[in-house]
Amino acid sequence: MKKRLLAYSLVLVLMFTLILTGCSKPVDQPTEQPTEQPTEQPTEQPTEQPAEETEAVLNWNIGADPKTIDPCLNGASDGGDVINQTFEGLVREKSGVIYSGIAETWDVSEDGLTVTFHLRKSKWSDGSDLTAHDFVYSWKRGMDPATASEYAWIWEYTNIIGAFDAVNGASLDDVGVKALDDYTLEVKLITPTDYIISLLSFYHFLPVKQSAVEALEDGAWAKNPNTAICNGPFKLTSYRIGEGLTLVKNENYWNAENVKLDRIEGKFIDIASTAYQAYQNGELDFIPSVPAAEVPKLIAEDPNFHVFPLLGTYYYNFNLERDIFKDVRVRKAIALAINRELICETLGAGQVPAAGFVPPGFLDADGKDFFETAGTYGFATDDSTVKAAQDLLAEAGYPGGEGFPEFTIIYNTSEGHQMVAELVQEMLKTNLGINTKLENQEWAVFQDTRREGDFELARGGWLTDFMDPMGMLSIFTSENAYNDPRFKNAKYDVLLSTAAKTRGKEHFDVLYKAQDILMNEVPILPIYHYTDTMLASPRIVDWDRSVLGTIDFSGASIAK
């Protein structure tokens, strides 16, 4: 396990170096050595030879049918993968390198408090001009409480003047975002923010056209081909609920000459074995997951099977509003009773057992991995703390699990999620004498169930949105839309707010303290840190992904 963890950490450290290079010094070509200050010249997206006339079609399994593909409203990776094909922000990140997007260049003032983006002339998919005013509208829409975006919380971590105040009801007129002219966007910051450029590649910050948004309510415009105006490499021409979608090359995309795919047929298949069979039959070219039982063989034998480290964590949420989980001793006992190494070995795709919440790959101010420095908080990743778990449960009044109410573990439909839930169920029965039931729900239903708090123990998963542990820890602040366990701790909230406004050692010291609180209070049950698996046909070449895991087909083509 140590060898696996070392390799995983080294890869993530390399990715961290690359992302800092991208967001701190955009250059003409990707460089190997990180530098410190942004310059005016971002990396240009690579160019290719013109495609032949034969239609180039990619058959892609997206997974679950996304709840929304409105950039402002989306909060899931499946929707994010689609959005990354149909929209483009100021910058585009691929493999840890920041490429120029709608922003051709940008400047950062000497004091780090003003970032000025110089936009290229580009168009929406309907042929109308895209301007800096579109970004102002889109960003303020994301902040506006009336929009009710699940991601409104992220504006606190942009450090844009007035942005988080606007989220909390202050005037949008006071936000430090201004269109100086049609092609110049000025952003004013409260404090220098090292990760701001890379953060702006995230889907919440992508532009949307006001007239399109207002055509249909609640984000429905984005799934309707008649109103789904976009600005990315591809545009939507068909959306079939529960079945799939069709994207075609967007002829009005500023870099259309270098988009080689003519059409993408996206399928909504959330059963891994079904998608895998379709891939084997030649019906799919690209699938984001495979049945767990196939992973060892694919790793050993198939060069088209890819495993990437991923900055995220798989966990369970305790519903702290339910009486059975209000005693922290009960929550700790359950956390101590789980053999995370056995779960990871069963899944077999290189997952790293999680004793804390922040995954490997985040370097602190001293260059040390946050994951390693934070430690395990007394939670072993094997079965060596089962006796301690039993003692703690007895201390809470349930010796041998006697008298502890049966509860339900819920997860969204997936063979992998089912496997993990069954293992956890068996461990709780064997180690603590606790009986549980399992329930799976379709993805959209599951998201609503979890958000409404209609659960006892619910699967959770989180991938960071930017290269800082804040991107992980911030979701458990009291008012965060993704705080599914209903965790409320005033000191924790203050620490995360402080972290957003500090840098260097002070910044990371605050984050270490925040995770200390989180893991001592145990509102969640961390299981493992993610890896990203995907199976790609050799006929699809030059596809890419962001360091945070979002798929990118903007430069993909069909091998001849």
Side-chain angles (χ1 to χ4, degrees):
M1 201 276 282
K2 289 183 178 179
K3 289 182 179 178
R4 176 177 61 186
L5 177 56
L6 177 60
Y8 184 101
S9 297
L10 286 173
V11 172
L12 281 169
V13 166
L14 175 59
M15 286 186 170
F16 184 88
T17 302
L18 287 170
I19 196 74
L20 285 180
T21 304
C23 68
S24 63
K25 184 179 173 38
V27 292
D28 290 331
Q29 298 293 332
T31 59
E32 296 182 0
Q33 298 298 323
T35 52
E36 296 181 356
Q37 293 299 322
T39 65
E40 297 183 10
Q41 299 302 318
T43 305
E44 286 293 331
Q45 296 192 33
T47 59
E48 304 281 350
Q49 293 300 314
E52 296 180 8
E53 292 183 5
T54 304
E55 186 178 35
V57 180
L58 166 68
N59 295 296
W60 168 38
N61 182 37
I62 295 163
D65 187 341
K67 185 175 181 179
T68 180
I69 50 175
D70 180 329
C72 178
L73 301 181
N74 180 63
S77 57
D78 44 34
D81 281 338
V82 175
I83 289 166
N84 202 44
Q85 318 315 317
T86 53
F87 289 88
E88 183 158 287
L90 295 169
V91 295
R92 178 176 285 268
E93 183 258 300
K94 295 189 282 189
S95 295
V97 178
I98 297 297
Y99 292 94
S100 58
I102 302 306
E104 199 163 23
T105 61
W106 55 87
D107 312 308
V108 179
S109 62
E110 289 187 10
D111 61 7
L113 298 179
T114 303
V115 185
T116 306
F117 294 94
H118 307 284
L119 278 55
R120 66 178 79 248
K121 291 186 177 181
S122 64
K123 294 184 179 297
W124 292 105
S125 56
D126 66 352
S128 59
D129 292 337
L130 191 160
T131 71
H133 302 283
D134 292 310
F135 280 94
V136 174
Y137 161 75
S138 303
W139 290 8
K140 288 187 177 181
R141 175 179 178 241
M143 302 170 202
D144 191 343
T147 304
S149 171
E150 295 177 6
Y151 253 97
W153 60 270
I154 203 169
W155 288 101
E156 179 175 9
Y157 304 100
T158 64
N159 288 320
I160 293 174
I161 290 174
F164 196 57
D165 291 333
V167 171
N168 291 308
S171 174
L172 289 166
D173 294 336
D174 297 332
V175 173
V177 177
K178 181 188 298 184
L180 300 183
D181 56 44
D182 283 352
Y183 298 102
T184 309
L185 181 69
E186 181 185 77
V187 178
K188 294 282 190 179
L189 304 176
I190 298 169
T191 187
T193 305
D194 297 336
Y195 53 78
I196 187 64
I197 304 299
S198 62
L199 175 59
L200 295 178
S201 67
F202 183 59
Y203 50 73
H204 186 76
F205 304 102
L206 308 189
V208 292
K209 187 171 182 180
Q210 184 172 0
S211 60
V213 172
E214 294 174 350
L216 293 172
E217 295 181 351
D218 300 324
W221 67 274
K223 288 186 176 183
N224 186 324
N226 296 321
T227 54
I229 297 172
C230 59
N231 75 317
F234 302 94
K235 61 183 181 181
L236 182 75
T237 58
S238 174
Y239 198 103
R240 306 169 297 282
I241 295 174
E243 179 184 342
L245 55 76
T246 300
L247 307 177
V248 301
K249 180 177 177 177
N250 176 12
E251 67 278 9
N252 286 313
Y253 175 51
W254 73 268
N255 200 22
E257 63 180 314
N258 296 310
V259 175
K260 303 308 177 190
L261 295 177
D262 296 305
R263 177 162 51 95
I264 298 175
E265 292 293 344
K267 302 297 183 183
F268 302 146
I269 305 173
D270 59 3
I271 303 298
S273 57
T274 304
Y276 182 57
Q277 186 61 54
Y279 175 87
Q280 290 183 307
N281 293 342
E283 299 164 14
L284 291 172
D285 301 309
F286 196 99
I287 60 177
S289 62
V290 299
E294 302 293 338
V295 170
K297 179 181 178 181
L298 289 170
I299 289 176
E301 300 178 5
D302 194 339
N304 300 306
F305 183 66
H306 305 270
V307 181
F308 299 95
L310 197 56
L311 289 165
T313 302
Y314 188 108
Y315 59 99
Y316 285 95
N317 296 283
F318 292 105
N319 188 336
L320 300 185
E321 294 179 348
R322 300 298 176 95
D323 289 341
I324 59 172
F325 293 133
K326 286 185 176 179
D327 190 334
V328 69
R329 294 172 298 181
V330 169
R331 304 195 299 271
K332 284 185 177 180
I334 291 174
L336 289 166
I338 303 303
N339 186 339
R340 296 158 177 82
E341 291 186 16
L342 177 59
I343 293 173
C344 291
E345 289 167 6
T346 303
L347 294 173
Q351 293 90 347
V352 176
F357 189 64
V358 175
F362 292 103
L363 301 184
D364 66 16
D366 297 320
K368 297 178 180 178
D369 191 286
F370 190 100
F371 165 85
E372 295 180 353
T373 303
T376 64
Y377 303 96
F379 299 112
T381 57
D382 57 14
D383 61 359
S384 61
T385 54
V386 170
K387 178 60 168 61
Q390 294 168 345
D391 292 344
L392 202 54
L393 191 64
E395 182 183 316
Y398 305 102
E402 184 178 347
F404 196 86
E406 181 180 70
F407 64 88
T408 300
I409 302 172
I410 69 167
Y411 56 92
N412 54 296
T413 304
S414 157
E415 291 158 333
H417 298 331
Q418 179 179 342
M419 182 181 294
V420 174
E422 289 174 347
L423 287 167
V424 170
Q425 181 184 47
E426 179 61 27
M427 291 172 190
L428 294 181
K429 176 62 176 176
T430 302
N431 298 335
L432 295 178
I434 292 177
N435 294 313
T436 60
K437 295 184 293 186
L438 304 183
E439 179 184 342
N440 73 292
Q441 297 181 347
E442 186 271 327
W443 177 228
V445 175
F446 175 74
Q447 290 180 83
D448 290 338
T449 298
R450 193 171 55 183
R451 188 172 303 111
E452 292 165 4
D454 188 18
F455 69 90
E456 292 164 313
L457 189 70
R459 187 198 76 83
W462 192 255
L463 306 176
T464 189
D465 303 314
F466 53 102
M467 288 299 299
D468 191 284
M470 285 192 304
M472 298 293 296
L473 296 170
S474 57
I475 66 169
F476 298 114
T477 53
S478 295
E479 302 305 320
N480 194 288
Y482 295 101
N483 182 6
D484 295 319
R486 275 51 176 177
F487 178 59
K488 295 186 183 299
N489 185 293
K491 185 175 180 181
Y492 185 86
D493 293 348
V494 169
L495 288 171
L496 264 296
S497 183
T498 301
K501 299 172 179 61
T502 54
R503 305 172 80 187
K505 188 175 186 304
E506 181 183 2
H507 172 80
F508 284 97
D509 285 349
V510 166
L511 292 176
Y512 280 121
K513 291 177 182 177
Q515 182 160 267
D516 286 348
I517 291 175
L518 186 70
M519 297 315 302
N520 283 321
E521 292 295 321
V522 204
I524 56 169
L525 172 59
I527 301 296
Y528 62 78
H529 301 303
Y530 281 110
T531 53
D532 201 11
T533 61
M534 53 200 68
L535 188 55
S537 167
R539 68 186 291 270
I540 304 298
V541 297
D542 297 329
W543 57 272
D544 215 322
R545 65 189 287 280
S546 77
V547 74
L548 305 181
T550 305
I551 300 300
D552 194 311
F553 295 125
S554 62
S557 61
I558 304 297
K560 304 302 181 184

